[in-house]
Amino acid sequence: MVTLQNKRIVLGVTGGIAAYKSADLARRLREAGAEVRVIMTRGATEFITPLTMQAVSGHPVHQHLLDTAAEAGMGHIELARWADAVLVAPASANFLARCAHGRAEDLLSAVCLATAAPLAIAPAMNRQMWAGAATQANLDTLRARGARIFGPAEGAQACGEVGPGRMLEPSELVALTASLFASGALDGLAVLVTAGPTWEAIDPVRGISNKSSGKMGYAVAAAAAEAGARVVLVSGPTALPDPERVATIRVTSAQEMFDAVHAHIAQVEVFIGVAAVADYRPTDAAKEKIKKSAERLTLELVRNPDILASVAALAPAPFTVGFAAETENLEANARAKLKEKRLDLIAANRVGAGDGGFDTDENALLVIDRDGNKTELPPQSKTRLARALIQLISEKYHAAKQRRQTQGRAQDPRPAHRH
Ligand code: CTP
């Protein structure tokens, strides 16, 4: 099934008869799980009304670059930053020329110029205009800059001619848009992710837990699936729905999480421990609800197993990634944890008052590898941050595998990875 779950798509509509199909396209993008914001050029509004596009996208349509009201809401820079991908469908010959030349005199061209997100273009025009040398040169320029060109299809055209120039069907465009996100960085690999808090029972109705929402771990699992991995997510109690294309196993306590992880760990090449596992649990959970009587009550706690360290100590171990939530001395504490738990990679973030981390939608990470190399992933939504982290994990995993193959295992003091 095609999925665009949690993806933010800016749909650009330019002037051409195929614009009537853009309403269906917007509807199908949303059905696939995407959030859609529409930008229409003046030409587009001659073919389909902004009201139609507003109704199908669920948001007001953006039309003008120099409109103070619009800029105060979501201006061209915000739209450019907001987008996970920009899809222009239909794209007229005139738009291709503006985009290829980096012009920014209308909102859509300005957003295309200002965005760092992937740009996909679905041309639709008369076959002679399509074949024109200028159009083809513009397409070459756009392709060379990394734009993806979807179509066009061949067939009968609105102008009565037959040939290439028809916009692809909305269903095909949705599938191609989804493929923009499939990096293939983890193709063929199996990944196990832990997420959320754990709940350590004191009695049948009370327990010890923490403020982890599970958002980061779920985003990491989804990003790994998007990158082509088979993903198992072992999750503590959260309010989040199971991510798409991920086998989710729900557990409650740290011990259950430990057991679920070790039941699956032999089959995976990469382990990512994002869960905020409770370090201690009550020694004996009461069978019945504890009644209040004494003025003081002492709870005795025992250590829980360290799931992450237990995975890193396996021989062979998967490529093991840990998280560190710290309130102070971020880098030093993260380096110490990396070493102590013998990890391949650690992703550290600051938590506490005013910082990202638990139960927020944004976060930033400092990632440190076994050789001490640092990578800063700047503040951004957890969805994007997870994608960037998965990209980094893929690079480090493949580099480690390469190194192991060239150096041979004899020189490596650590147990062999399961590569
Ligand atoms: N972790 C784990 N099992 C535990 C405790 C932690 O797998 N029993 C993992 C977490 O999923 C995370 C990493 O260890 O990837 C770091 O957790 P954190 O709580 O920050 O560090 P601790 O090792 O518990 O150390 P401390 O609480 O002393 O900071």
Side-chain angles (χ1 to χ4, degrees), residues 211-282:
K211 284 167 65 180
S212 168
S213 63
K215 283 178 188 162
M216 191 65 212
Y218 280 54
V220 166
E226 203 172 277
R230 274 177 295 116
V231 184
V232 176
L233 171 66
V234 179
S235 171
T238 70
L240 304 172
D242 294 359
E244 298 257 341
R245 294 175 295 169
V246 167
T248 305
I249 300 169
R250 303 268 177 178
V251 297
T252 304
S253 66
Q255 188 59 52
E256 284 172 25
M257 186 174 276
F258 180 95
D259 293 343
V261 164
H262 283 279
H264 291 86
I265 201 70
Q267 284 90 47
V268 308
E269 284 88 8
V270 179
F271 174 79
I272 312 173
V274 196
V277 185
D279 289 324
Y280 294 89
R281 67 173 181 274

Side-chain angles (χ1 to χ4, degrees), residues 275-290:
V277 185
D279 289 324
Y280 294 89
R281 67 173 181 274
T283 310
D284 292 302
K287 297 273 172 297
E288 305 299 335
K289 188 175 166 217
I290 300 171

